Amino acid sequence: MRRIARAVAAAVLLVPPLMAGGCGGGDKPRARPTPVMPSTTPPQPVPLTLDVAQKAFQTYITDEDVARAAADERLALTWTSDGQSLLTAAEFRKAAFDGDPVRRFTYGKPKLYVPKLKADAYPQWFVASVDRSVAGDKKSKESALMGFILRSPTDDWHLTLATELAPKARLPKIQTDPDGYAEPLGSDDSTVLIRPRDVGGIQATMAAEGAASVAAKVMETGPLTSGYYQQTKRAKKKAKEQDLTLTIVYTATPYPYFGLRTKGGGGLILYSLFRNNAVVGPGAPGPKPEIPKEAEHLLDGTVEGDEIDTTATFQFAAYDPPRAKKGKPQPKAELVADDGAISKAATPTLKKP
């Protein structure tokens, strides 16, 4: 990776004025030298090429393994950003809480999907599709989709999103040009059924409203869409039986999303969602909610008030089909990859009346 040296301003020598002689004949004061500040040359943008992406990917997996081998959370976070940073931090803390080593990964040969972008257009990004296994666990092999981003010429590449292909799902074939570059989709692309920027919102709507939602007209029902709605219903019912109130809301994130054109005119969209949970007890002298097992590593084991809030960060990939021609059946969008975990937790104190 390029490392940009930052210029250090030189100290300017201040020359005191010379005093004139008392009775004529003294030397004339000399002019002060004009201070010259060093100039800095801004780094030149480097075009994103297949070779640049390959080097960025290899650098990441090497640096990631060093951090995980050393159980160094701060170092690991150096190579991630956005939702991936939240999930990485949570993973390290869970390993420390359980007394287990942090997972290390072995990678196969990646297939890189690199869009042809303008050299001075930022952020730059690419997607890697690669087989990944947990070191020492032969049965853990999975197909991962990893989104990398470079936000400026002075920045380093970061892994911003990683998700896992569903066991029975097939990755759509990505459209590439004769030179091997992928075609990116704009956020408002209208040739696909759902505008890329709206795919996450459609999924969140189905999670909130279920199969009866109008969003089900453009996205397939399943465990990661209407299934979330059913999960919420069951969880709320169970909470009510324990005299607790549960609220679950799925929302979009401010993090980057990526769109790639697939063969046939569709798109592969990578994006993330938050799931915000709030479970509230009835107040004194009623029972306090129990800390969820999956959030224990993020809390200190006590509930001061009668509420527990958690946020999960989920990362997905969806196939977004092309808009069908008039009179032709319209396929729906479908989820092909997902991953995520609870990434934040809090137990607010009781509010004073």
Side-chain angles (χ1 to χ4, degrees):
M1 301 296 292
R2 295 183 299 105
R3 306 293 182 189
I4 308 300
R6 301 190 179 279
V8 179
V12 178
L13 180 62
L14 299 179
V15 181
L18 298 176
M19 299 299 294
C23 295
D27 294 337
K28 294 182 179 180
R30 297 179 181 178
R32 296 184 185 182
T34 302
V36 178
M37 298 300 292
S39 61
T40 59
T41 303
Q44 295 299 311
V46 175
L48 175 57
T49 65
L50 298 173
D51 288 340
V52 167
Q54 180 69 38
K55 183 178 179 181
F57 177 83
Q58 293 297 331
T59 299
Y60 169 77
I61 64 174
T62 298
D63 291 340
E64 177 202 47
D65 192 58
V66 169
R68 288 176 176 269
D72 191 331
E73 178 184 337
R74 292 183 64 182
L75 183 59
L77 293 176
T78 302
W79 317 120
T80 63
S81 66
D82 307 303
Q84 194 61 34
S85 289
L86 293 176
L87 292 171
T88 298
E91 181 183 359
F92 270 73
R93 292 168 193 175
K94 188 175 191 320
F97 181 85
D98 294 338
D100 295 331
V102 182
R103 294 183 304 169
R104 296 171 66 184
F105 297 106
T106 57
Y107 293 86
K109 184 178 180 180
K111 176 64 177 176
L112 303 180
Y113 301 112
V114 183
K116 188 171 286 187
L117 305 173
K118 293 181 179 179
D120 58 352
Y122 288 89
Q124 294 183 352
W125 58 274
F126 68 90
V127 173
S129 173
V130 62
D131 288 338
R132 181 177 71 174
S133 302
V134 177
D137 185 356
K138 296 181 179 180
K139 297 182 179 180
S140 63
K141 184 178 178 180
E142 64 192 16
S143 294
L145 291 172
M146 305 169 69
F148 292 85
I149 193 166
L150 179 70
R151 285 186 161 89
S152 74
T154 59
D155 200 5
D156 294 321
W157 283 96
H158 292 85
L159 177 67
T160 185
L161 182 154
T163 188
E164 301 173 9
L165 199 65
K168 296 182 179 181
R170 288 187 177 184
L171 185 66
K173 293 183 178 180
I174 305 301
Q175 182 69 50
T176 57
D177 67 14
D179 295 324
Y181 288 91
E183 180 183 342
L185 289 179
S187 60
D188 289 323
D189 193 295
S190 59
T191 64
V192 287
L193 180 61
I194 306 171
R195 291 184 303 181
R197 71 179 186 184
D198 295 333
V199 172
I202 292 293
Q203 184 188 4
T205 299
M206 290 192 67
E209 301 175 0
S213 171
V214 67
K217 293 182 178 181
V218 294
M219 182 172 282
E220 293 282 1
T221 58
L224 304 176
T225 54
S226 55
Y228 282 154
Y229 173 77
Q230 296 298 331
Q231 289 178 20
T232 297
K233 284 184 63 177
R234 290 193 294 267
K236 285 184 174 182
K237 181 179 179 181
K238 183 177 179 180
K240 188 175 181 180
E241 292 171 351
Q242 299 173 353
D243 205 15
L244 303 172
T245 301
L246 173 64
T247 303
I248 299 178
V249 179
Y250 290 83
T251 65
T253 73
Y255 306 141
Y257 56 91
F258 310 117
L260 294 165
R261 179 78 66 190
T262 61
K263 291 186 177 181
L268 178 69
I269 317 299
L270 282 69
Y271 61 97
S272 56
L273 289 178
F274 286 141
R275 184 189 67 199
N276 300 302
N277 286 28
V279 57
V280 182
K288 291 186 176 182
E290 294 183 4
I291 295 175
K293 187 175 182 180
E294 60 270 25
E296 289 177 336
H297 58 290
L298 299 173
L299 296 169
D300 61 5
T302 60
V303 181
E304 295 185 22
D306 64 346
E307 179 178 348
I308 298 176
D309 298 336
T310 61
T311 297
T313 302
F314 293 136
Q315 304 190 129
F316 301 98
Y319 171 65
D320 192 1
R323 286 187 175 274
K325 294 181 180 179
K326 188 175 182 180
K328 299 291 184 179
Q330 176 63 68
K332 297 180 182 180
E334 60 180 319
L335 276 293
V336 297
D338 76 287
D339 195 18
I342 292 178
S343 51
K344 291 183 180 180
T347 57
T349 57
L350 282 172
K351 296 178 181 179
K352 295 182 179 180

